[in-house]
Amino acid sequence: SVAYGFYLGSIAVVINRLAVSLLNIPILIGLVKFKEIGWWEKGQAVLFIFMVPAMVFSPHREALYAVFSIGVLYGFGNQVRELYKTKATGALDIRLIIVYIVSTLFWMAFAYSVGALGLEVLTTGGLILLSAIAILWFVYWLRERKGDVLQRGVS
């Protein structure tokens, strides 16, 4: 998060998290407009809003960052489940997933270079889930394209 970047004193982390966060705004708007938001998602949103001030003012920043990251991994897991359940690409923007994968790869390289075990585990888990999202998206995208081609051929 941006707060974690300030805690580390790293402008690179702050800029990276701001850029990725800005990419989430259109997604959140689309979710609110087109998908029913359940009580679990609302609860997560409230929790994550309070995570930033908690990380700024708490002496337990690393533990809070781990909790926040586990919440993010849970969200990625939900995307895998949703893709598998619907068997369709839906409104998922693969470009954002690719940005997440690239960002996670950089974080993973950082984690392994400094030997941060917690970050190594979290980034590895994130990369696995993001890769699953990308693979499922491409599989269903190819099926959707094949179906469109077959429908146009019949018409």
Side-chain angles (χ1 to χ4, degrees):
S1 75
V2 174
Y4 188 64
F6 281 118
Y7 167 71
L8 293 175
S10 171
I11 192 68
V13 173
V14 171
I15 291 171
N16 175 277
R17 298 321 311 167
L18 277 173
V20 172
S21 296
L22 290 175
L23 292 171
N24 287 319
I25 292 171
I27 294 168
L28 292 173
I29 292 169
L31 283 173
V32 169
K33 285 173 68 175
F34 301 112
K35 186 171 174 35
E36 182 178 330
I37 305 296
W39 65 270
W40 182 250
E41 289 87 1
K42 289 176 185 174
Q44 283 180 313
V46 170
L47 176 67
F48 290 149
I49 287 170
F50 288 110
M51 285 299 294
V52 173
M55 286 180 65
V56 170
F57 298 113
S58 172
H60 308 289
R61 290 174 180 92
E62 287 84 6
L64 288 171
Y65 184 76
V67 169
F68 176 75
S69 296
I70 290 168
V72 170
L73 292 178
Y74 176 81
F76 289 153
N78 276 341
Q79 284 185 323
V80 171
R81 183 182 56 80
E82 184 80 17
L83 275 170
Y84 186 75
K85 186 173 84 174
T86 62
K87 307 262 191 266
T89 58
L92 180 64
D93 188 352
I94 193 63
R95 296 171 297 183
L96 181 63
I97 299 302
I98 291 169
V99 168
Y100 284 161
I101 289 171
V102 171
S103 176
T104 301
L105 285 169
F106 281 108
W107 274 104
M108 184 182 280
F110 170 76
Y112 281 95
S113 70
V114 298
L117 179 62
L119 198 53
E120 289 173 6
V121 171
L122 292 168
T123 54
T124 302
L127 186 62
I128 290 167
L129 290 170
L130 287 165
S131 298
I133 292 168
I135 290 166
L136 286 173
W137 188 91
F138 280 112
V139 166
Y140 299 138
W141 179 75
L142 287 171
R143 286 183 186 169
E144 290 167 3
R145 284 186 50 134
K146 185 178 179 182
D148 286 346
V149 169
L150 289 175
Q151 277 186 336
R152 277 190 252 137
V154 171
S155 301

